[in-house]
Amino acid sequence: MRILIAGILGGIAMFVWMSIAHLATPLATTGFSRIPDESQVMSSMQNSIGAKQGLYFFPWMDPHDPNAMKMQEEKLKTQPSGLLMYKPAGGGMAPGMLVAEFAKETVTALIAAFLLAQAMLAGYFARAGFVALIGLAAALTTNVSYAIWYGFPTSYTLAYGFTDFFGYVVAGLVIAAILRPKMT
């Protein structure tokens, strides 16, 4: 029961931090740039992609073509490359998105609380540091890979890595206060 309570309260703390990071700091927009001639690009995307939401990789490489890597290398010599997350018109930030984000942060805090309970660390800062290290591993796992493989800007990688890591620090401080070793 203590693990469940610690995980839920840690998830709440992480959600509060993430909200602050995205609403009250520049961390959420670090590394993003405005598209020049945005209206022309938007019109082209709407004409080409239409209502098909998705993550698009360009230039496209057919993974089933045995010559795909060679063709990709040739295309990259003369064409731009990248990822495009596309949502058609009519979307927006729905309340369900905030619920899903809170659920994700609570689940990760519950995992961290469960792992901490298995570690049996005595000191408060050792317990909080244990959760922070879980967060460091999580932050490095995706954010750095995106920089390596897709060319995400260094500023974006550092900002989002820090945001993720610090979310675990905050959750760890709460979780460590609740999951104290039992006195025998």
Side-chain angles (χ1 to χ4, degrees), residues 108-134:
T108 60
L110 282 165
I111 292 168
F114 173 78
L115 292 173
L116 178 59
Q118 307 314 304
M120 297 191 299
L121 299 170
Y124 172 76
F125 289 109
R127 295 189 310 275
F130 181 87
V131 175
L133 285 174
I134 294 169

Side-chain angles (χ1 to χ4, degrees), residues 53-71:
Q53 178 174 325
L55 179 62
Y56 295 87
F57 179 81
F58 62 92
W60 181 247
M61 176 179 74
D62 182 355
H64 303 294
D65 185 338
N67 298 316
M69 293 298 285
K70 183 178 179 183
M71 291 179 355

Side-chain angles (χ1 to χ4, degrees), residues 17-184:
W17 157 249
M18 292 297 191
S19 298
I20 291 168
H22 284 86
L23 297 173
T25 76
L27 290 169
T29 57
T30 299
F32 286 92
S33 300
R34 183 178 182 166
I35 297 174
D37 299 320
E38 182 176 315
S39 61
Q40 181 180 354
V41 174
M42 297 294 283
S43 177
S44 293
M45 285 192 300
Q46 287 174 327
N47 289 334
S48 176
I49 302 171
K52 189 166 183 336
Q53 178 174 325
L55 179 62
Y56 295 87
F57 179 81
F58 62 92
W60 181 247
M61 176 179 74
D62 182 355
H64 303 294
D65 185 338
N67 298 316
M69 293 298 285
K70 183 178 179 183
M71 291 179 355
Q72 183 78 352
E73 286 178 27
E74 290 302 315
K75 286 181 180 180
L76 292 176
K77 290 178 183 175
T78 59
Q79 296 179 21
S81 65
L83 293 172
L84 171 67
M85 179 60 230
Y86 179 81
K87 289 183 177 183
M93 192 166 89
M97 295 168 84
L98 289 172
V99 171
E101 183 69 20
F102 175 72
K104 186 260 316 181
E105 287 154 4
T106 301
V107 167
T108 60
L110 282 165
I111 292 168
F114 173 78
L115 292 173
L116 178 59
Q118 307 314 304
M120 297 191 299
L121 299 170
Y124 172 76
F125 289 109
R127 295 189 310 275
F130 181 87
V131 175
L133 285 174
I134 294 169
L136 182 60
L140 291 172
T141 298
T142 47
N143 292 301
V144 175
S145 290
Y146 290 165
I148 293 168
W149 295 104
Y150 304 119
F152 279 36
T154 301
S155 59
Y156 172 93
T157 302
L158 293 172
Y160 273 78
F162 172 77
T163 302
D164 289 340
F165 167 69
F166 199 74
Y168 279 86
V169 169
V170 171
L173 294 171
V174 172
I175 293 168
I178 296 166
L179 290 182
R180 294 183 299 257
K182 292 181 181 178
M183 297 298 187
T184 54

